[in-house]
Amino acid sequence: MATTRDLLPFLCMFGSALAVYKQWIPDTNFENATNWDKGSVPCGSDQVVFPAQGKVAVYVETAHTLAGMSLPVDGEFILASGAGFSVGEGQDPGCGAGVTTQFKEFDSLKWFDPALWKAASSVDDLQKGSYLFFVHEESVPCHQDDVVFRDASSFRVDVSGNQNTVSVKSVSVLRQKFSSNSDFSQFMTSTLGKLLFHGSSSLRVDEPSCKDHTGCECGNSGNRERICANVECSHLDCKKPLRPVGHCCDVCGAIVTIQFSTSFNLDSYRQRLQHLFLALPKYKSIQMAASKVPKTHRLLGVIPYETSHDIQVVLLDQNTGSESGVLAEALARDILKDVQDQGSHLGIDSADFHASSGASGSDVAGMSGGDVAGIVLGILALVTFLAVIVIAYHRGLVRMPRLPSLSRWKKDNEIDELGGPIDHGFDNPMFEKSQALPEIPGLYGTDSLNGITLTHSGVHFVNPVYDETDFNA
Ligand SMILES: *[C@@H]1O[C@H](CO)[C@@H](O)[C@H](O)[C@H]1NC(C)=O
């Protein structure tokens, strides 16, 4: 046990995997006062009633004296050492006159209820109460998450989902961590397993961990409606409420959208924002959710043709009225400034934000190797685009009477726009590929969609650095 703990910091240092732990909040413990209809734990001369048809496992931590107890048909006590029941009247000082107390029913608590989970980046953080905030879809365990049920506790959770199985990376139950599905499915067939988990889907622990430092998509969008059915949205009083990806409700605050490169590390960026900004007294009240979200690119704004990913940073402040979202907007501006100064070292290409106050802005990370690569890619895309036009022209697919002037325009324009130093980019061997491209069959065939796709992605790459209109002209 100790060795695993000692190893953890090293694993984190080498950044082996991005881990998020999600802990189930409710329990069915005997000693939890909220589990009893009278709001207090029964004692002394109390009569205890478990609903006859209720199926439940109940964790008992200590010894109890009671007047009597009626048990359910299907149930189980999990007794900690020293725990137990004895029957006798009124030996318990400080205990009331004796009432009949009923244990609540727990069949309705759902796995896909985002309010019933807490998240943290380590088990330690879960214990310390250092929690992470997430949008609704990601408050529920994601595929690559480790699921934790508190050590000394019993529970009952309905794992019904839209698919036959609900899959996560691991599940920890009563001090036992299951990472192999054969062990876990064996546990699930036991009486205890069936009391703890019920519902139409079966829980599995066969998902791999997230090995992508830039983050992994949560994978809960298939159960979005199920998740949102458990959420009640509150009334908002900001000018332009925002809807974060993966969230069930509009929010007042700000959303920063980040375009990242392969050197980006979501976990360390989350920590950076935490230490640099959220730790400041003025930003104390802000809730931040940072995650990788899918973005669908649409042809002419309608037809989806490609999905890429962004990092979405949702910032919520607790202010109301005219102050609502103002603090979040200020933080969004600070984050964009940080991107401008340090983005290139953080693997961030560009970022933009939208705030519920109506404000928005964007920034490109300072010049770096990554940016130069971005520019080269942008030029490559442009040259490819022109090559496609030339090929199409030669095949007679496109009529373009004044092609020579087009290539002159291209040359002049690029030299004007980019100035001297970028010019040597044309010596880059990568450009030889653009001459090879037309020989790849199919890629530039009669499918006109391909041409348009490339055009679009060309503009997409170039856009952050240049004025888009230069290329549309
Ligand atoms: C008792 O149960 C409630 C709700 O299920 C939970 O929030 C709380 O943490 C539990 N209390 C203890 C002491 O575990």
Side-chain angles (χ1 to χ4, degrees):
M1 199 63 192
T3 46
T4 327
R5 282 233 173 139
D6 295 344
L7 263 172
L8 262 176
F10 289 99
L11 290 177
C12 291
M13 232 165 68
F14 294 120
S16 71
L18 207 62
V20 176
Y21 294 81
K22 304 255 167 85
Q23 181 175 273
W24 178 254
I25 298 169
D27 61 55
T28 56
N29 292 3
F30 193 92
E31 281 88 6
N32 190 330
T34 63
N35 292 340
W36 298 94
D37 66 345
K38 300 281 191 305
S40 61
V41 181
C43 58
S45 42
D46 289 345
Q47 280 282 342
V48 168
V49 177
F50 286 91
Q53 299 310 317
K55 294 185 177 173
V56 71
V58 177
Y59 186 87
V60 187
E61 182 119 45
T62 57
H64 295 270
T65 306
L66 301 164
M69 178 149 61
S70 50
L71 293 167
V73 178
D74 199 354
E76 205 168 298
F77 282 122
I78 306 163
L79 301 177
S81 75
F85 299 102
S86 55
V87 177
E89 294 248 351
Q91 298 123 332
D92 214 345
C95 196
V99 289
T100 302
T101 303
Q102 187 158 341
F103 201 67
K104 287 186 186 164
E105 294 222 44
F106 289 91
D107 278 5
S108 61
L109 297 183
K110 295 187 172 65
W111 176 278
F112 284 106
D113 184 344
L116 301 182
W117 296 95
K118 276 175 180 165
S121 43
S122 70
V123 175
D124 261 5
D125 279 357
L126 276 179
Q127 276 155 6
K128 278 190 301 195
S130 160
Y131 303 121
L132 295 171
F133 171 68
F134 282 107
V135 293
H136 290 128
E137 275 181 32
E138 293 175 53
S139 299
V140 172
C142 300
H143 288 178
Q144 62 278 2
D145 285 348
D146 294 281
V147 174
V148 177
F149 293 91
R150 287 196 313 265
D151 278 349
S153 79
S154 55
F155 54 91
R156 183 157 169 85
V157 51
D158 178 1
V159 286
S160 302
N162 290 351
Q163 288 87 29
N164 290 334
T165 58
V166 171
S167 296
V168 292
K169 188 182 129 208
S170 77
V171 174
S172 300
V173 181
L174 292 161
R175 293 201 173 82
Q176 214 178 341
K177 181 169 177 174
F178 296 97
S179 318
S180 122
N181 201 54
S182 57
D183 291 348
F184 188 64
S185 53
Q186 201 177 348
F187 171 76
M188 291 295 269
T189 57
S190 70
T191 315
L192 181 59
K194 284 180 193 155
L195 288 174
L196 299 178
F197 301 96
H198 69 114
S200 60
S201 303
S202 62
L203 185 57
R204 298 178 61 89
V205 294
D206 48 9
E207 289 286 333
S209 58
C210 174
K211 300 222 171 59
D212 185 345
H213 299 259
T214 66
C216 292
E217 214 185 305
C218 177
N220 275 342
S221 46
N223 282 299
R224 181 184 170 80
E225 275 163 40
R226 199 176 272 277
I227 291 169
C228 292
N230 297 306
V231 176
E232 213 178 301
C233 298
S234 52
H235 170 76
L236 301 174
D237 50 6
C238 46
K239 210 175 352 172
K240 274 181 138 177
L242 307 163
R243 174 66 62 93
V245 177
H247 210 54
C248 299
C249 305
D250 284 349
V251 297
C252 294
I255 299 174
V256 180
T257 307
I258 291 170
Q259 284 81 45
F260 58 93
S261 63
T262 47
S263 58
F264 181 76
N265 184 313
L266 179 58
D267 211 22
S268 39
Y269 188 61
R270 222 183 247 143
Q271 284 171 28
R272 178 185 179 81
L273 295 182
Q274 190 69 43
H275 293 138
L276 219 51
F277 301 117
L278 297 180
L280 298 177
K282 62 171 171 172
Y283 291 137
K284 268 261 147 60
S285 66
I286 293 215
Q287 279 187 305
M288 177 191 78
S291 54
K292 182 183 265 189
V293 294
K295 177 165 93 182
T296 307
H297 300 268
R298 288 171 195 279
L299 194 60
L300 307 170
V302 189
I303 310 150
Y305 67 90
E306 189 191 19
T307 305
S308 65
H309 290 93
D310 284 336
I311 300 300
Q312 173 182 261
V313 180
V314 181
L315 305 167
L316 306 180
D317 57 41
Q318 318 294 319
N319 298 334
T320 51
S322 62
E323 285 297 293
S324 172
V326 173
L327 194 61
E329 183 194 324
L331 176 53
R333 290 186 190 280
D334 279 355
I335 290 176
L336 250 66
K337 181 148 191 325
D338 182 45
V339 167
Q340 191 181 25
D341 296 344
Q342 299 294 326
S344 44
H345 306 299
L346 300 169
I348 296 175
D349 293 334
S350 63
D352 56 74
F353 83 92
H354 291 274
S356 56
S357 57
S360 64
S362 68
D363 238 309
V364 177
M367 280 296 217
S368 74
D371 295 317
V372 173
I375 292 168
V376 169
L377 272 177
I379 296 169
L380 183 65
L382 179 74
V383 171
T384 310
F385 164 53
L386 291 170
V388 169
I389 300 239
V390 170
I391 299 301
Y393 174 72
H394 281 299
R395 290 198 184 168
L397 293 170
V398 174
R399 292 201 158 272
M400 208 175 297
R402 294 193 301 128
L403 186 69
S405 74
L406 176 79
S407 57
R408 197 181 308 128
W409 168 81
K410 175 201 104 185
K411 224 172 179 175
D412 293 345
N413 208 26
E414 274 180 17
I415 291 164
D416 279 348
E417 283 295 300
L418 304 172
I422 305 299
D423 244 356
H424 71 217
F426 285 93
D427 299 325
N428 192 317
M430 279 179 85
F431 282 93
E432 274 158 39
K433 282 192 192 135
S434 73
Q435 276 138 33
L437 281 176
E439 280 155 39
I440 302 171
L443 199 57
Y444 302 99
T446 48
D447 191 353
S448 63
L449 198 68
N450 267 332
I452 300 170
T453 306
L454 280 164
T455 309
H456 197 98
S457 67
V459 170
H460 174 75
F461 268 108
V462 174
N463 188 12
V465 189
Y466 309 105
D467 188 352
E468 185 180 336
T469 52
D470 286 352
F471 296 95
N472 287 341

